[in-house]
Amino acid sequence: MFKTKKLLLFVLLGVWIIQAAACTSSSDISASEAEIELTLQAIYAENTAQALADAAVVEAPTKIPLLMPGEPPKPERTLKDFDSSIRAYENRAISGDRFLDSMYERPFTSQEMIYQPDLDIYTVDFAHDDDFFYFTITLYGMNPVKWGLNGMYGVEFDRTKTGRGDLIVWVDGPQEEWSVENVTVYTDSDRDVGGPQPIIADADFEGNGYDTPIELEGSKTAFARISPEESEAIQIAVSRDLLENPAEFLWGAWADNGLRNATMLDHNDTMGPGEAGSPINTDDNYPLNALYNLDNTCRLPYGFEQMGASVPGMCITQAPAPEPEPASGQPQTVCTCLRWNFSAYPPTCTLWDCN
């Protein structure tokens, strides 16, 4: 429409110029040409401004509101992590850290081994509704120096059930209400998280871990907040659509105020045990060095039942044969191994937690 109108105006004005030239003097023609030029410029400016305004209206993006989580339902499962507070006064952990297997129990500073209760995961509750999966990460306490929960807290997902994490959600500085502020989500575009052997240490592997941030929009979103019931707990809500509606997956939790770098996962692929250090004072690599202020958990399954540890990184559970046979309708006792002796083959459990 704009081009057609402009062409018509130019044609009419051209005819006017020819007619005027035939019956006016040269001085009058010059004056008429000047007036015509000013008129053309005014018309062009007006139509250009209108065209730009119309384009802006047409191209303005429509912002889709974020799907909001509700209140987490009653927990379906609770993952209990190792407790480093037991010997924190001795500047050491007693169990739970297996560097070569990507299990870290390191809520201590480097070298000095000062205990950080806001990085020591106590439990993780899991629940879900029609739109979201909910994770409540409870820590042993607040940071005593800079009061509060000062780390980055996250949930890592393995949707392929291979041990290779493929999506991680982090929050750094959660708000009191559900918010996407300070929430970041990363995926792995080239699937090199974990190196050639997921979970297991791969010496000299050079990868870039979680390398791609995901933009939160519409129903593909994640929120976080401080638990309204407990100030020492972080709640993270991850929408089903963000995870692409998986029927099955494994999940585990993280607390990190050390390297704080998702591109370095898995950590045991980017450094050796000597460089990383150890929180166990009987280990030759004690104390902690490059890998510190860190805690993670094993992974629990969603959507399927799994006994043993056929998936790397999965929590090892065992349902012992009841003796005597439980009465009809009584639940079977389920035990989780808290401490394994990996020097034996096959590995044997030395500490059980049964419920």
Side-chain angles (χ1 to χ4, degrees), residues 79-88 105 107 115-124 137-144 147-149 153 230-234 255 295 338:
L79 192 164
K80 191 176 187 307
D81 195 37
F82 295 90
D83 183 1
S84 285
S85 68
I86 297 174
R87 289 291 184 271
E105 186 65 26
Y115 178 60
Q116 309 290 295
D118 62 323
L119 302 176
D120 194 2
I121 298 173
Y122 177 58
T123 58
V124 186
I137 304 173
T138 302
L139 292 309
Y140 270 89
M142 298 290 193
N143 186 288
W147 189 256
L149 302 176
Y153 305 94
E230 190 171 2
S231 60
E232 298 170 354
I234 305 293
D295 193 11
L338 299 180

Side-chain angles (χ1 to χ4, degrees), residues 12-25:
L12 293 174
L13 286 170
V15 173
W16 180 26
I17 291 170
I18 294 171
Q19 291 175 345
C23 58
T24 58
S25 65

Side-chain angles (χ1 to χ4, degrees), residues 34-80:
E35 291 176 0
I36 292 169
E37 178 64 24
L38 290 174
T39 302
L40 286 173
Q41 290 178 1
I43 294 171
Y44 180 78
E46 180 183 354
N47 282 276
T48 300
Q50 184 61 47
L52 290 173
D54 293 342
V57 171
V58 172
E59 295 175 4
T62 302
K63 192 173 182 63
I64 302 175
L66 293 176
L67 179 67
M68 288 289 296
E71 289 301 314
K74 181 179 179 181
E76 300 171 28
R77 299 200 69 175
T78 296
L79 192 164
K80 191 176 187 307

Side-chain angles (χ1 to χ4, degrees), residues 158-177:
D158 170 13
R159 292 169 291 180
T160 60
K161 298 188 296 181
T162 60
R164 190 182 303 281
D166 52 70
L167 185 141
I168 191 165
V169 179
W170 284 111
V171 58
D172 184 2
Q175 309 297 303
E176 292 186 357
E177 304 293 335

